[in-house]
Amino acid sequence: MPDREESNVLVPPCALTALMTVAAREGRSRDETVRRMLLAHVARQEDLPVGERLTHISTVLRYPGVARWNGDARREWPRPKRLRLRVPAGTLDRLRAVSLQLPGQSPRAHRDYQARRLTDAVMTAIAVVEPFEDEFLRGLRPLLRHDAAVGLWRLAAAATTTAPELAVHARADRAREAEDYARHREALLVDEILEDRPWHSPARFDAAATLARELLTGPAADDNERMLHAQSADGWHERLQDLRHADEFVRAHYLGRSSSYTWAGRGASAVWRARRAVAMQDFEDWLVADQRSTRHDVRSPGWRVRMPAGWRAVHAGRWESPVPEPYREWLDAGQLLAFPVGSRRVVWPLVDGTAPVPEIAPLIAGARGIADRHISGFIEAVLLDWQHGAEAFDDSSVPMALRLPAAAAYELGLIDVVQYRELAAEAYAISQQQRMAVIGQLTADEQGARAALDAVLGNARMFARACRRYGIDPPQTARPVWTWPGRPLAGRATAAMPPGTVTVLAQHAFRARRRILGGLMNEAWKDGFFQPGVRAGAPLAWLDDE
């Protein structure tokens, strides 16, 4: 095992200048200086409670950043410099563990949602030893405690709250006022998750920068940092509510140049994800319930799952602790799946909670390579009643179907050669109709294009090439696909199938579930622009590519 590991980060030139100043003062190389700084930094951070650890103001402001549209102020920012890190093995993970990750961020996600924890560690480590600033950072309090940074971010989120989110907050506020928590459990949980997993965008970082200049500059900066850190003082709550319910003029002040765009789509997507998270909590509770029906309606997105009679999941200790026997043996044999629910481990499926389901290994094998946090989603996929879902999703533009390429279905023995040829002929006919529709839309002045396309009408590749030659968008070629008849994969529907077929079907079911959920979230994004309270304006799909 190597004794060192490497990575690199992008930092503003002023931070690099400060690092070189320290290196010159100590008579060491830049590489050794940054390594010593980071080792000292991680040791300090590990000794502090999580909320008391330090972060640099640039992290919560996402500085430096990349310009995304014309007029974006980030075009005026200095170009960041790349800094190579070479540290003892295991140090990078330690640095990430003690660095700031804002609510809603993730190590791997859409670019607006990515946590920059190594960059935070480097910026903070340098600033502790040698403070630095440039035109953007000038006057700002350079170091914050983690809880203060989160408090600032939550104010920025409040200043950019969208109409779909306001509707959720209003329902939750009414439930709290009525003290009717049981009846409005879902509304309260959605509101809570929305607070913990907010959407991110350049606009929110712009709002955070404006708030930072109001709160973290001048003689009141230290007092305001303490207020942000507490997040419980009356002044903080009043400011949060004022920002959340501010008028368009106040919002424009905090959004700056990005105020010309409405972020309602991201707000609606965040609401959809929060509702989906509550639905998954309910699904996981249903899996481990002692007394339950063999079917469960998943409220978001509205489909139904069915569990074979006698199957259930059980708790098997804490997630961080070793797996107790006999579950360890069954997991190693590929007869069980394990996934985390909060701090606890859940294993599935067991017959009456005591023994593995016979002949379950091929279905379990379909989950190979899936991250632990997505295992409950895999279980949902193999329990999905696809026939019921197809009926429930009749009005949606997202098809609720488990589809396999016809060739794969034929190779797996799910269809015979006659069915395969029928599916291939059907797909070819659809493709021909689409190509003929393109030709039919040509004008009398485009006879040259018409002749060229007519000549290659039966060849999809040549037709697409001819379309591009004449500046025409080529139609998509329909692929022959086979649709699963509808019953859940877990249970009798696949009991007599070859093991390899069951495994492949389970893999396709998981992918189909993710595709459907992605399509439904995209529908929610579009619908967000047409909800009450959203000001007029078309969504900029090229910009808001969440």
Side-chain angles (χ1 to χ4, degrees), residues 264-287:
R266 292 217 177 177
S269 298
V271 171
W272 184 93
R273 289 193 296 271
R275 288 179 174 145
R276 174 66 185 154
V278 172
M280 280 304 292
Q281 289 179 15
D282 292 342
F283 169 72
E284 290 165 354
D285 290 343
W286 172 76
L287 284 177

Side-chain angles (χ1 to χ4, degrees), residues 148-322:
V150 171
L152 178 66
W153 171 255
R154 289 185 64 189
L155 291 182
T160 51
T161 304
T162 62
E165 296 165 281
L166 285 173
V168 170
H169 295 318
R171 282 194 294 271
D173 288 342
R174 289 194 295 271
R176 293 187 188 98
E177 290 172 4
E179 297 186 356
D180 192 355
Y181 301 112
R183 182 181 175 188
H184 299 286
R185 168 186 170 274
E186 183 186 16
L188 292 167
L189 285 175
V190 170
D191 182 67
E192 181 181 325
I193 291 172
L194 201 56
E195 293 274 6
D196 292 339
R197 306 177 195 175
W199 56 271
H200 285 240
S201 78
R204 287 205 150 160
F205 292 110
D206 289 343
T210 304
L211 283 161
R213 298 194 189 287
E214 293 178 357
L215 299 172
L216 298 174
T217 57
D222 290 346
D223 288 341
N224 286 333
E225 195 272 350
R226 285 190 286 272
M227 177 266 293
L228 293 171
H229 177 271
Q231 297 180 45
S232 59
D234 291 339
W236 186 85
H237 278 293
E238 288 175 3
R239 185 180 288 267
L240 183 136
Q241 291 300 324
D242 289 345
L243 290 170
R244 180 173 287 171
H245 300 286
D247 59 30
E248 289 295 322
F249 297 102
V250 175
R251 289 182 183 277
H253 166 69
Y254 289 105
L255 287 169
R257 299 185 189 184
S258 59
S259 63
S260 59
Y261 174 69
T262 173
W263 296 91
R266 292 217 177 177
S269 298
V271 171
W272 184 93
R273 289 193 296 271
R275 288 179 174 145
R276 174 66 185 154
V278 172
M280 280 304 292
Q281 289 179 15
D282 292 342
F283 169 72
E284 290 165 354
D285 290 343
W286 172 76
L287 284 177
V288 298
D290 289 330
Q291 301 292 332
R292 55 157 175 76
S293 166
T294 57
R295 76 179 192 186
H296 172 71
D297 290 330
V298 183
R299 186 170 300 186
S300 177
W303 53 38
R304 177 174 293 169
V305 290
R306 295 180 183 273
M307 184 104 79
W311 291 25
R312 59 169 297 197
V314 299
H315 290 111
R318 295 181 61 81
W319 181 253
E320 299 297 335
S321 63

Side-chain angles (χ1 to χ4, degrees), residues 335-381:
Q335 296 175 295
L336 283 183
L337 292 171
F339 59 95
V341 176
S343 62
R344 306 184 71 180
R345 178 189 297 107
V346 173
V347 293
W348 178 91
L350 293 167
V351 177
D352 297 325
T354 59
V357 174
E359 309 299 329
I360 194 65
L363 190 74
I364 299 297
R368 190 175 294 120
I370 296 175
D372 292 330
R373 67 183 184 277
H374 296 309
I375 290 296
S376 61
F378 173 83
I379 296 171
E380 183 186 34

